[in-house]
Structure formats: structure tokens, C-alpha cells
Amino acid sequence: MLRVIGKRLLMLIPTLIGLSILLFIWVRSLPGGPATALLGDKATPEAIARINEAYGFDRPLIEQYFTYVGKLLQGDFGVSTVTGRPVLEEFATRFPATLELAAVALIFAIGIGIPLGYLAARHYGRFWDHSSVVLSLIGITVPVFFLAFILKWLFAIQIPLFPTDGRQDPRINATHVTDFYVLDGILTREWDASWDALMHLVLPGIALGTIPLAIIVRITRASVLEVQGADYVRTARAKGLMERTIRNRFVLRNAMLPVTTTVGLQTGLLISGAVLTETVFAFSGVGRFLRDAIFNLDYPVLQGFIIFIAVAYSLINLLVDVSYGFIDPRVRVQ
């Protein structure tokens, strides 16, 4: 397993180098140059000259690239042109909110998606199967922002079961230790604060997790159908093994490999795709901050977000590869 992890980590290097080159070219190919893009309406010749000198845009391109990579390796992603704070600092304060939301969405998607997909495969061609297929199609086709508005209107306004927006009721005097509000309430034993933060996560978590849920249902159903017809499953039944043993050791375990891959990919999409959900529910996470950066043409933030998502995807894929070794021992000897 250590050899597999080492190989995957080495594969990250060319990926990140290629991404850094693409980002470097993108910033320098902006209309009017990077200085004009950063200054916007304030782009006077004198201001452009100052920005070029301050950021080194007037130096040779190869020197600019190595300076740029050097800053990235030091954790310097630039400074937001809107807030004036370092981009890494901005992400550090907002990432816990997005990660908390993504975790709730993923728990919702996996907790319902895998059992529903398994039931659909077990009852192939019957009610459970047809229902799961129809629901998964609806889940994939309904836009996230539309579902978010529907959930908010129905369960926060018409039937006020959940809060309408934000991460926590501002009237609660909560202590924030890690900026993961639910966890903070547990650590400090402020149970009302933890419960309130969890209630704020329910509707956006469902909205964000619906598409991954639909995909996981379909992948689980297809994978279980394929494994159920395998020779080793028929052999296990012929030997008289208990159905529970066949289900757990032969069907589910072997069917989980493609499902694990899907979950890993969807986890990355949850982090990068939280823009619309966080906007509808006024959720102060990375997604909402990115939306503001797009409207304000805050290129350092956009550039930092792309690098951040690339690293997150790479690490998630690494975790998926490691999990293969626990699900299927044959992977460990490859």
C-alpha cells in the first residue's frame, strides 16, 4: 500500500506543474494584460506601470513563471483585489463552512444512494427498480439552484421547519474553536449552537447532494446487477451460504469499487459546485466567495480557487486509490 501511495503522490507532480503553466498563461493572456485586469476601471498608464513593477509583470516570462511557482510553494496565492487580504487566508476562513456543507451532502447521498441502488438491483424490473430509476433521472435533470429555491420556499417559508439562510442564528452566542460550527458546539458542549448549525445545513445539504445521490443510485444499481450474475456468487449460493453472507462478502464488497470511484469524484464536485447552493442560502463558504470574485473580477481569488480545487481533487483521488486496497486486497500487490 505504501508503494501505491508513493506512486500516486509522484503522479501529482506533473499534474500540478501542468496546471500551474496553464494558469500562468491564462492570467497573462487576459485582455490588456494582468495589470489591466487587476485594476479594472482604474487602469491608468501610471497605475498599470506600478502594478507591472510591483508584481514583476515587466520581467521575462520564464523569470515570472519561476517566481510565480516559488510563491505558490510558499503558500503565497496572492492578495484579493477586493478585500485586500491574502487569498489563502480568505480560503482558510471560509473552507470549513464549505467542507461542513459538502460532508452533510455526501452523507445524504451515500446514506440513501447505496441502499436504494442495492434495493433496485435486488428487485430488478419491479416497483423498487422502476421507482429508483425515475427518481434518479429527476435528481440528475433538476438544476441545483431550482431545487434549492423549492426546498427553501417549501420547508423554510411555507412550512418553517428549517432556517432560511446563513450558517447559524446570530442570536446564539456560540464559541467557535475550529470554525466547523457543528463540531464547535459539540466540543464546547453548547448543544443548542450545534443543533442550530445542523439545522442550517439540512436544506442546502439536500440541495447539493441530490445530483450525487442520483448518480450513486444508478452506479450502485448497475454494479450490483453485474456482480449478482458473477460465477463466484452463483457458486456461493450453490454451496448453501447464508444470503446475508453472500450479500456482504461477495456482492456488496465487489460492487463497491466503481461506487467508491463515483463517490470520490462527486466529493470533488461537491466542493467545487457549492457556488449556487451557497448563494441561494446565503451560506458564507468558499462557493459564495467565489461567486463574488467572479462578479468583481478578482483574478487572484479565481486563480487560487482553481489550484485549491486541483489539489483537493488529487488528494481525494489518492484516498480513493487507498480505499481500493481495503475493499479489494488484489490492488495491494499491483
Side-chain angles (χ1 to χ4, degrees), residues 49-301:
R50 287 196 302 271
I51 289 293
N52 285 334
E53 183 179 358
Y55 287 88
F57 294 143
D58 53 351
R59 300 174 186 173
L61 285 177
I62 189 68
E63 182 180 346
Q64 291 185 44
Y65 175 73
F66 281 109
T67 302
Y68 162 71
V69 172
K71 289 183 178 179
L72 289 181
L73 293 176
Q74 296 173 15
D76 184 0
F77 291 82
V79 176
S80 170
T81 58
V82 176
T83 65
R85 297 174 62 192
V87 172
L88 191 60
E89 184 179 327
E90 294 283 9
F91 277 111
T93 58
R94 290 171 171 81
F95 181 62
T98 299
L99 190 58
E100 205 170 41
L101 176 59
V104 171
L106 194 62
I107 292 171
F108 167 72
I110 294 175
I112 297 178
I114 292 179
L116 190 58
Y118 176 77
L119 284 174
R122 288 280 301 185
H123 301 278
Y124 178 70
R126 285 180 278 179
F127 173 77
W128 273 110
D129 185 30
H130 296 313
S131 300
S132 67
V133 171
V134 171
L135 289 174
S136 63
L137 286 174
I138 294 174
I140 292 174
T141 55
V142 175
V144 174
F145 71 91
F146 179 73
L147 179 61
F149 277 120
I150 292 296
L151 291 173
K152 185 175 181 179
W153 175 80
L154 184 60
F155 295 108
I157 298 175
Q158 296 298 319
I159 308 174
L161 297 176
F162 300 99
T164 55
D165 50 36
R167 293 187 65 191
Q168 199 170 54
D169 192 328
R171 294 171 295 182
I172 295 179
N173 187 21
T175 304
H176 299 306
V177 180
T178 65
D179 282 334
F180 293 94
Y181 285 7
V182 176
L183 178 61
D184 287 343
I186 296 173
L187 293 176
T188 59
R189 296 187 178 182
E190 296 174 351
W191 309 115
D192 58 333
S194 183
W195 177 255
D196 183 73
L198 184 61
M199 289 297 99
H200 278 79
L201 286 167
V202 171
L203 293 183
I206 292 174
L208 186 60
T210 299
I211 291 180
L213 166 65
I215 295 173
I216 290 172
V217 168
R218 296 182 70 84
I219 295 297
T220 304
R221 174 182 176 272
S223 184
V224 171
L225 283 175
E226 182 180 356
V227 171
Q228 281 185 155
D231 292 338
Y232 54 83
V233 175
R234 289 198 294 267
T235 302
R237 286 200 173 96
K239 288 182 177 181
L241 293 178
M242 294 178 61
E243 190 63 31
R244 183 175 60 184
T245 302
I246 296 173
R247 180 187 66 218
N248 294 335
R249 294 188 58 185
F250 294 93
V251 177
L252 282 178
R253 188 166 184 176
N254 287 283
M256 282 301 104
L257 284 177
V259 177
T260 302
T261 303
T262 303
V263 169
L265 294 173
Q266 293 304 312
T267 302
L269 289 175
L270 287 175
I271 297 174
S272 60
V275 178
L276 295 175
T277 306
E278 291 186 2
T279 300
V280 172
F281 289 97
F283 205 82
S284 55
V286 173
R288 191 180 177 196
F289 182 58
L290 178 64
R291 184 214 62 172
D292 295 338
I294 293 172
F295 282 114
N296 295 317
L297 300 179
D298 197 344
Y299 290 105
V301 171

Side-chain angles (χ1 to χ4, degrees), residues 32-43:
T36 303
L38 289 172
L39 290 168
D41 296 335
K42 302 176 182 178

